Amino acid sequence: MSSHPVRDAERADDGYFGPGSATWKVYSDSGASLGAVASVLLQALDTGMLNHFDHVSISSESPEAGQARFQRTGDFIMTCAFGDKAHVDAATAHVDMLHERATWTNPETGEVEVAKWPEWQRWTMYTFVWGSLEGAMKFGMKLSTAEQDAFVREQQLVAEKLHVPGPHPDTKAELDAFIEAGKKDKALNYLGAQAALSLRHPARTHNPAKDWVSGVVLDGILSLLPLWARQIYGVENRSEQRLARAQRTTALFLAAARKNSSLQELVDAGIAHATEHPYQKVRARAPKA
């Protein structure tokens, strides 16, 4: 077997979305990244899914591995949004393969549990779509109803490549209804309760300014969650006024960070990230003799 590293293929096209797409606009904004954190909090409320991944991956991970997983997830998102078609195809095929292999045998029932359970797939996919869109909008991005709906529809392509079964929401209103319907069967298990504890009592440093900023941003993220999710997490010490204030302040932080960058420059940064840090490399074709 050759030990030579794979030479990654050069960018060949604008991917599945391209200039003018709602996807490029939303994912170029840092608010979407904070919204993605809110989506993870929603995902953790599916106790069956969290229990499954605790058995197949989470419990065996070191903190370093967990951080690497987080980074890889970010690379996957940026690849799907800004990568060319070949790299999107490679990324989604690899993630789909990982989900296919993420199985464990329940010793009590003898049943083999799989990650590719339709309800889990839909909840994971569309909480992320919802959180990213909410974060972008609530933290300063101006999007028309038509643009919001276009973003939701564009994400169906990624869902299909990951073999997420339908039904798929077509509009932001349908996406909101999907998230709201989730409250009927969501709860906390032990892992979720640990997350809830850290939300109620975040770690402190010896830097008051840093603690204040991180506290405001955390409250800003919590402000994105629907009321029912905040109630499950028990963050009753945050009033609606406090969360609204944190959302406005977080939006000001992000506005200051992006004030010297045009939308095109932010999009270019997303393309550069997807090109320099693809989730999966694509073997470059050998030059013709």
Side-chain angles (χ1 to χ4, degrees), residues 87-100:
H87 283 87
V88 174
D89 291 347
T92 51
H94 184 74
V95 168
D96 186 57
M97 176 270 292
L98 292 178
H99 290 169
E100 192 75 43

Side-chain angles (χ1 to χ4, degrees), residues 3-288:
S3 60
H4 295 296
V6 173
R7 186 170 70 87
D8 195 28
E10 294 183 2
R11 183 179 181 85
D13 50 57
D14 281 332
Y16 287 101
F17 304 110
S21 67
T23 293
W24 276 21
K25 188 172 184 179
V26 171
Y27 283 129
S28 69
D29 190 79
S30 51
S33 299
L34 295 183
V37 178
S39 74
V40 172
L41 294 174
L42 286 174
Q43 290 163 16
L45 296 179
D46 191 307
T47 58
M49 182 171 67
L50 196 61
N51 182 60
H52 176 85
F53 282 103
D54 181 38
H55 282 88
V56 300
S57 60
I58 297 173
S59 62
S60 61
E61 282 186 344
S62 65
E64 294 75 18
Q67 181 60 36
R69 173 197 285 272
F70 183 80
Q71 181 61 53
R72 288 281 285 166
T73 299
D75 291 343
F76 174 76
I77 294 160
M78 297 300 281
T79 297
C80 288
F82 296 103
D84 65 359
K85 292 178 181 178
H87 283 87
V88 174
D89 291 347
T92 51
H94 184 74
V95 168
D96 186 57
M97 176 270 292
L98 292 178
H99 290 169
E100 192 75 43
R101 295 179 178 178
T103 65
W104 72 288
T105 302
N106 188 323
E108 296 180 1
T109 64
E111 295 181 352
V112 177
E113 296 193 3
V114 298
K116 294 180 70 172
W117 190 255
E119 287 78 7
W120 296 349
Q121 289 179 283
R122 280 193 293 271
W123 187 246
T124 300
M125 178 72 200
Y126 285 109
T127 51
F128 185 81
V129 173
W130 182 86
S132 299
L133 185 54
E134 283 288 299
M137 292 193 303
K138 296 292 179 58
F139 295 136
M141 176 166 280
K142 305 300 182 184
L143 291 168
S144 67
T145 299
E147 287 177 313
Q148 295 172 43
D149 292 347
F151 177 75
V152 174
R153 285 192 297 272
E154 287 170 8
Q155 302 322 297
Q156 291 178 4
L157 183 144
V158 179
E160 290 166 0
K161 285 186 171 294
L162 290 171
H163 299 112
V164 177
H168 302 289
D170 273 321
T171 65
K172 176 61 161 55
E174 290 182 9
L175 181 60
D176 289 340
F178 172 79
I179 297 298
E180 186 64 18
K183 67 184 178 183
K184 67 181 182 297
D185 58 3
K186 299 300 182 288
L188 290 177
N189 66 5
Y190 177 69
L191 287 173
Q194 289 179 308
L197 184 62
S198 68
L199 294 177
R200 290 195 297 270
H201 306 287
R204 300 293 180 184
T205 68
H206 297 293
N207 185 328
K210 183 178 180 180
D211 287 343
W212 178 78
V213 171
S214 61
V216 167
V217 172
L218 174 60
D219 282 356
I221 291 170
L222 291 175
S223 77
L224 303 178
L225 294 176
L227 176 61
W228 63 263
R230 298 203 306 269
Q231 289 172 335
I232 293 175
Y233 273 114
V235 286
E236 68 284 344
N237 60 329
R238 271 84 156 183
S239 67
E240 292 295 328
Q241 293 81 2
R242 171 177 167 174
L243 293 178
R245 185 168 58 249
Q247 187 178 109
R248 292 192 298 270
T249 305
T250 302
L252 290 174
F253 289 159
L254 298 189
R258 67 169 84 92
K259 70 177 181 179
N260 294 321
S261 298
S262 66
L263 174 60
Q264 185 57 54
E265 288 172 329
L266 294 172
V267 167
D268 289 344
I271 292 172
H273 183 103
T275 303
E276 296 166 13
H277 307 285
Y279 180 80
Q280 279 291 106
K281 290 184 176 181
V282 174
R283 186 180 296 276
R285 293 182 178 180
K288 294 182 179 180

